[in-house]
Amino acid sequence: MQSIHHPLFAAVYERLSRAGGAWEEALRREVVGAAQGHVLEVGAGTGLNFAYYDPRQVECVEAIEPDPAMLRYAQRRQVQSAVPIHLHQARVEELPFPAASFDSAVATLVFCSVEEPARGFAEIRRVLKPEGLLLLVEHIRAASPRMARLQDLLTPLVKRCAGNCHWNRATLVTLTKAGLRVISRRDEGRGLLPLVIVQAVKE
């Protein structure tokens, strides 16, 4: 497997995140704020979610990120979190944790860039406890055939410029095939980057 190291993208992402709007902050607060117990965060990136874990609900967070450039930014936010956060350089396809370890898993705008998403969701299912909860935010393949075709055309370029990001993935199909059941779904936005906010449980 090719190593994941995108220092230029990490720097750009960090700069853009500092200018993130109230809408993005509210979305992270909503999704991350629903995590409970022993939490796995997948694709921690620069650590933008760390501020939103509720210490009244969360014991600790094991946060994985494969890109060392991203991890350097995440380490700065790690120490500011109200809950214990342990950082690991790891891929979601090869989680370094025993089965049935976590009450919740969080993934925000991650599976667009995962090399093997089906394997990644299978690993999340493996490490979640029975009825464990996956909290997911992702941009997905457009429902409009015209927009979906445009996503297909643009994805090869976007992958090169934005850390392997795929605009055209049918992520919820992959999730359900891995044995995770959607119990809550909300769709946001249209056009090229429709978002879905999902809660799913291990079956």
Side-chain angles (χ1 to χ4, degrees):
M1 177 62 64
Q2 184 179 3
S3 63
I4 299 171
H5 189 218
H6 304 289
L8 179 58
F9 175 66
V12 171
Y13 188 83
E14 172 65 12
R15 182 178 292 273
L16 291 174
S17 71
R18 292 177 183 174
W23 178 84
E24 180 182 345
E25 180 180 347
L27 183 60
R28 290 184 185 276
R29 188 180 301 277
E30 171 194 348
V31 173
V32 178
Q36 297 185 8
H38 190 196
V39 179
L40 168 69
E41 180 168 339
V42 175
T46 61
L48 293 175
N49 288 335
F50 295 171
Y52 303 115
Y53 286 106
D54 187 343
R56 297 167 298 181
Q57 299 178 175
V58 172
E59 298 169 15
C60 68
V61 178
E62 306 292 341
I64 68 156
E65 169 56 49
D67 190 332
M70 289 283 194
L71 278 173
R72 283 193 288 272
Y73 292 106
Q75 287 168 350
R76 301 173 189 174
R77 293 188 170 99
Q78 176 187 21
V79 297
Q80 300 170 354
S81 173
V83 303
I85 293 181
H86 308 123
L87 288 173
H88 308 265
Q89 185 176 348
R91 301 166 59 242
V92 66
E93 298 96 329
E94 298 173 332
L95 292 174
F97 308 110
S101 297
F102 295 97
D103 302 289
S104 309
V106 173
T108 57
L109 303 175
V110 171
F111 271 87
C112 58
S113 60
V114 169
E115 288 283 352
E116 301 174 85
R119 187 176 170 191
F121 281 124
E123 274 288 271
I124 289 175
R125 184 185 183 280
R126 180 183 68 81
V127 301
L128 279 175
K129 296 177 182 178
E131 296 301 313
L133 185 66
L134 169 63
L135 303 159
L136 175 78
V137 179
E138 194 55 78
H139 57 82
I140 57 173
R141 187 171 184 83
S144 160
R146 181 172 65 87
M147 284 296 175
R149 285 194 295 272
L150 187 54
Q151 286 178 324
D152 290 338
L153 289 172
L154 291 173
T155 289
L157 175 62
V158 175
K159 283 170 55 181
R160 289 179 173 272
C161 299
N164 199 44
C165 179
H166 294 68
W167 282 4
N168 60 347
R169 283 183 169 168
T171 297
L172 291 191
V173 174
T174 308
L175 179 153
T176 54
K177 285 183 177 179
L180 294 161
R181 177 169 55 88
V182 174
I183 60 172
S184 173
R185 170 178 177 170
R186 188 172 84 248
D187 293 279
E188 297 276 357
R190 297 180 181 178
L192 281 173
L193 289 174
L195 280 177
V196 66
I197 299 96
V198 165
Q199 294 188 3
V201 294
K202 175 179 178 175
E203 289 198 308

